[in-house]
Amino acid sequence: MKAVILDAVSLGPDIDLAPIRQRVDTLEVHDQSSREQAAERLAEAEVAIVNKVVLDAETLEALPALRLICVLATGTNNIDMAAAKRLGITVKNVSGYGTASVAQHTLMLMLALATRLPLYQRDVAGGRWNENPFFCLMDHTILQLEGKRLVLVGQGELGSKVARLAQAFGMLVDFAARPGNEAHDRRPGLCDLAPEADVISLHCPLTEATRHLVDARLLATLKPSTLLVNCARGGIIDEDAALEALRQGQLGGLGVDVLPEEPPRQGHPLIDALDEPLNLIVTPHNAWITPEARQRIVTLTADNLRHWQEG
């Protein structure tokens, strides 16, 4: 059996591919592949292993030997799933590999925003501490998390992990109803919970129901001190509206690990705003990248290969 990894660079150079190699006769590894290169490189492969390379209907139709696609991620939006089904190609993804890593990153953003770290670091770098007549700077009010209310959107493995970590800080945790299903969900909707939230953290997929879930209208209902964290998908927040709320003092802090287009080749207003004195953090979609999480992707992909072979 021949397998081809199309974009191994997405796993990083420090990851051991041995669990996958042990499941196939031949493993061909490419750091990156364009859509056009994918068709050529998969010509004789039974298994395609891919993270973000697009495998559209035209590409899949040109690959009669292909029987399995292993996605090195949870999302499968880069695969034409309907075409794969029509052609009898099995698609398997991985999930839960980065729970500890993303939850840790979420708490990092929450803590950094609560302590106004971006603002105080700016002050120190600008020499304001050196010139201060008092021994410490107290210009930016810090939010003590103990006793504060955290509202989470998404009660899966990741959201539940974040909840447990937040409770260790003494936070009170509420889960919002699944967006778009509020009428059939016993949990309150986000719009009902938002006015009392001290922190809102998003851990849901990007769907039609969640696109711009946090928009100007919802932002207007928040307390001015509320912190907003998005480690889910870009576009769940209306980033322009959130930035304006932050600038106007209608939002206490904003931390995002995701943007609607990644990488942001044309830039993004949130990146531009990092030069402003705002309680704002933008990280480059790296919440998931601990070595443990990336190695777990390989292990889970090898498991997917084994289950497919046995089935």
Side-chain angles (χ1 to χ4, degrees), residues 128-139:
R128 293 197 61 244
W129 191 21
N130 308 50
E131 302 162 358
N132 199 52
F134 192 50
F135 74 93
C136 68
L137 295 178
M138 300 175 63
D139 297 330

Side-chain angles (χ1 to χ4, degrees), residues 66-67 83-90:
L66 190 64
R67 298 168 57 201
K85 183 177 181 179
R86 171 169 53 83
L87 295 167
I89 302 170
T90 301

